[in-house]
Amino acid sequence: MIYLDNAATTKPAECAIHAAELCLKQDFGNPSSLHRFGLNAQLHIDLARKQIAESLGTEPERIIFTSGATESNNFALRGITSVYGKRNKKKIITSAVEHASVRNTLDELEKQGYEIIRVQPDAQGRFHAEDFLSQLDEQVFFISMMLVENETGRILPVQEVFQKVRKRYPEIILHCDAVQAYMKIPFKLKTLSADLLSISAHKIHGIKGTGALFVRKSVRLKPLLTGGKQENALRPGTEAVPLISAFGEAVSMMKKNISERLTNTQKKKAFLWEKLSALPDIYFNSERENAFSSPYIVNFSVKGIRSEIMLHYLEQKEIYVSSGSACSKGAKSDVLSAYSILENLADSAIRVSFSEETTEEELFQLVQAIEEAQKNLIHQ
Ligand code: PMP
């Protein structure tokens, strides 16, 4: 089996499974209970919060656990708008390529009367800080930008935009969806200047169903749910202790070798790029330059073969890739349209995403299978 869909989800690490198992079998108490069982469960949450806070360079109290980055993004967008969106503060700036959990939430806020500015990439697919900054005025109260876009891996100039906004309009709240960057592309929360930052456990070898939102101390958020006092009363509901504990362990494991992994992944990307370039009718939707595109994601189109056909052809060979983004479930990709990728090529888009376990041998087999598909499916 060759698994090349790590941007959709990753294999849970042994340490994460072990941590979850301990919380399921032994420390299964409710963290809000006052007895020993409750306390033991609470200790697992405390540890995970510390592990995640340390990885971001912040204090544990700033981390709120959620059910995943979809909730973190919803919480950030809706929670901020409820508090800071006023009659004379109606504008939100974002990019045209955000994940559906940001994009669709902003579409809904637009229907409620907020003005959403969706900044487009240039003809090469690059985003420029100036295009975000030129939209600033007294009505803007919120900016939401992703660090690494999940379909082609493009890197957005979040740090440059946020740092400059911070200087010129310090009252604007800044949110970053860092799901595809966290533990992959090194960044520092402090230099990024984000007020809010979303991350997800299952993209970094944790378990599906939990994530977190970093919330700067000075920022006020209206909770999405009403209920108990968990997570500082910001996210009521009994905590998913096994998943949270697994998240913390996955972070501890992943944070040890981010730079080394990044260098190795850059080599894998270069290898795949070179091998694919030798085939006819391959069009890259990602960028080769690592300064503009995460090496963890390579998106390309095999002209003449629709994504779905290719995906199932590869599946027969036990090679697992994605067509565009897994979240879109085969629907047309708004993100690829934003990059002005021609419709017939967007219909043939394949996303390959790496983990540290991906080998050049696996990538070689992928390229061979694509070459074979071109012979069998186009030139028959
Ligand atoms: N943002 C980005 C950039 C993502 O790639 C994803 C997952 N596809 C999410 C948010 C949502 O994360 P989750 O699956 O934890 O809800």
Side-chain angles (χ1 to χ4, degrees), residues 20 31 111 158 167 186 214 294:
K111 283 184 201 134
V158 178
K167 281 199 188 119
F214 156 79
S294 162

Side-chain angles (χ1 to χ4, degrees), residues 7 68-70 73 99 101 146 148 150 177 179-180 200 202-203 327:
T70 295
N73 285 341
H99 183 260
S101 54
M146 70 200 317
V148 171
N150 53 294
D177 173 348
V179 169
Q180 298 288 352
S200 175
H202 72 106
K203 309 285 185 179
C327 308

Side-chain angles (χ1 to χ4, degrees), residues 251-262:
V251 167
S252 280
M253 177 193 84
M254 292 287 281
K255 89 168 196 217
K256 285 188 197 128
N257 57 353
I258 300 180
S259 303
E260 192 189 329
R261 235 181 321 110
L262 182 67

